[in-house]
Amino acid sequence: MVDAVATSTESPRSATLVAVASVIVSMACAAVGNGLMFAYIPVRLGLSGFDPTWAGLILTGLSAGGIAGCLLTGLLVRRVGHARAFMIFSALIVLSNASIGAGVHPVLWIAARALYGFAICGMFIVGQSWLNDAVANSVRGRVMAIFYVSYIVGLGVGSWLMGLLDISGASIPLIGIAFTALSILPVGLTRLPPPPPPERASVAFARAWAISPVGVAGMLAVGGLSMMIAGFAPIHATASGFSQSQVATLMFAMPLGTLIFQLPFGWVSDRIDRRYVLVAASLLVVVAGIAAGIFDGSALPLMIVIYMVWSGASESIYSLSSAHANDRATKDDLVALSSTMLFAWSVSGFIVPAVGTALTAVFGTAAFMAIAIVIGAAFSVFVVVRIARNPAVPADETGSFAPMTAQVPLPVELGFDTEDTVAQDTEAPNRPMS
């Protein structure tokens, strides 16, 4: 009887907050395991005497799985719903980590990380659409900011843990499995109602480009940039002779750089044309990349500072491009735009690491630095040309910046819009193209 009374007197608002928190906690637990595995794989391969090219191939496999996740998640959610889909993806990550824990077999690891790429992409699409459906428009930005920040912090914590653990056995994959299993529990216990079955989201590249060339180009740039910097940094550090604890420290610091740089970049971009901030971020990527090459092999504290700047600037391109594109989209464009930008990010995240892996085999692991510098420079030139040709969106028609990370996919509108979102979006004006 007491339980029944307590349940009946619980306010809908507090129940929703607890349920939303459960999804965020689930993703934070998954992030710890994911950060642990990202740092573990290149270090373990190096310790076993494998060529760094194998680590690049494994990273490319992860990106290929991500493309499949982008294309197939909507179909799976339509069939089994959000909660079951989330648990399916968690189980696939457990299977991926178990395969890696079975021993150092690079070919098997490529398949395992491709499975992980598919699963983590799907997990994020499900989690984001679930939260978007559950919260009111007035707090949606804050909830999604907490969602992303929690995941970024989790990645850093996982990387830091790798430096404290024995890398010679299967303990790290087992701990990764444990954190993934923990991520299932809050979602399994949540009382958050799942959204309705998702709409079909199509890729419409021409339409998305017409809405925001800078936004789409930003996704094409940052998909490759993220995989080059975040993916190849531990590979290069391991090949350069950094110890396990040093690689872990570097990988822990890079997500912190993402948080440090996104906040001021976002604050400025809400007050001026976001494209100017995108130019600044991309030029900072170039400068940091050049510094990484010049001071390569220097003391760890200096390299940490450089890579924090490099990672923070590149990850900011992701969230700034997303915000810029949304500033110029109407309600009718949102689903196709988000799906297309997600696809552009995924394709770039597959092609660029493949190129990086091929160049690594010829020029060594430092080749990733040149690739990132070229991408940053090309994107900055493109944005400057767009600024010269097209006017900015008026300040009163822009949305608010929210921190994001290119380590996870953009939110795709899998669920139907809630009533307050529809009411607001139907009044959105047609925005000029960028």
Side-chain angles (χ1 to χ4, degrees), residues 65-358:
I67 294 178
C70 295
L71 297 175
L72 300 177
T73 296
L75 296 175
L76 179 63
V77 175
R78 288 182 68 88
R79 182 175 180 84
V80 303
H82 285 69
R84 289 189 179 92
F86 190 97
M87 294 178 186
I88 289 170
F89 292 131
S90 298
L92 293 178
I93 292 177
V94 167
L95 180 59
S96 170
N97 291 348
S99 299
I100 291 173
V104 185
H105 307 291
V107 175
L108 175 62
W109 283 21
I110 292 173
R113 292 304 276 176
L115 184 64
Y116 164 81
F118 170 79
I120 193 61
C121 185
M123 181 185 287
F124 258 92
I125 292 173
V126 169
Q128 290 169 119
S129 65
W130 206 345
L131 291 178
N132 273 325
D133 179 82
V135 299
N137 214 42
S138 58
V139 298
R140 182 170 290 114
R142 278 171 284 174
V143 169
M144 297 308 295
I146 294 171
F147 177 77
Y148 278 104
V149 169
S150 299
Y151 190 82
I152 294 170
V153 172
L155 285 177
V157 170
S159 298
W160 174 75
L161 282 176
M162 195 275 292
L164 305 177
L165 300 170
D166 178 18
I167 201 170
S168 59
S171 60
I172 290 180
L174 288 174
I175 294 173
I177 289 171
F179 274 104
T180 305
L182 283 174
S183 74
I184 302 174
L185 298 180
V187 168
L189 296 171
T190 185
R191 298 170 59 188
L192 187 64
E199 298 177 272
R200 295 186 181 276
S202 59
V203 175
F205 194 85
R207 178 57 185 157
W209 186 267
I211 295 169
S212 179
V214 168
V216 176
M219 288 300 116
L220 289 171
V222 80
L225 274 177
S226 176
M227 285 299 174
M228 285 294 97
I229 299 172
F232 276 83
I235 298 173
H236 179 65
T238 301
S240 300
F242 280 59
S243 68
Q244 174 186 341
S245 61
Q246 288 175 321
V247 174
T249 303
L250 181 65
M251 294 296 289
F252 170 73
M254 289 171 67
L256 296 182
T258 298
L259 295 178
I260 292 170
F261 278 85
Q262 287 210 42
L263 295 177
F265 275 147
W267 185 86
V268 174
S269 76
D270 280 342
R271 288 157 177 79
I272 67 173
D273 188 343
R274 295 194 205 276
R275 293 175 297 181
Y276 290 112
V277 188
L278 278 167
V279 171
S282 56
L283 289 177
L284 192 55
V285 168
V286 174
V287 172
I290 294 172
I294 293 174
F295 297 101
D296 191 28
S298 298
L300 181 63
L302 176 60
M303 299 310 298
I304 285 175
V305 171
I306 292 173
Y307 276 83
M308 285 179 68
V309 174
W310 207 8
S311 175
S314 65
E315 297 279 322
S316 297
I317 294 175
Y318 183 78
S319 46
L320 289 166
S321 297
S322 175
H324 175 75
N326 288 333
D327 288 343
R328 296 172 178 265
T330 62
K331 174 185 176 297
D332 293 338
D333 294 318
L334 288 177
V335 173
L337 177 64
S338 60
S339 301
T340 304
M341 292 180 68
L342 173 60
F343 184 74
W345 168 80
S346 303
V347 170
S348 175
F350 170 69
I351 293 175
V352 175
V355 173
T357 301

Side-chain angles (χ1 to χ4, degrees), residues 24-74:
I24 294 174
V25 169
S26 286
M27 291 308 307
C29 289
V32 176
N34 295 343
L36 189 62
M37 297 305 293
F38 260 109
Y40 166 76
I41 287 173
V43 176
R44 187 70 178 92
L45 286 171
L47 183 66
S48 301
F50 286 95
D51 189 274
T53 305
W54 281 108
L57 290 172
I58 291 169
L59 186 64
T60 304
L62 186 156
S63 302
I67 294 178
C70 295
L71 297 175
L72 300 177
T73 296

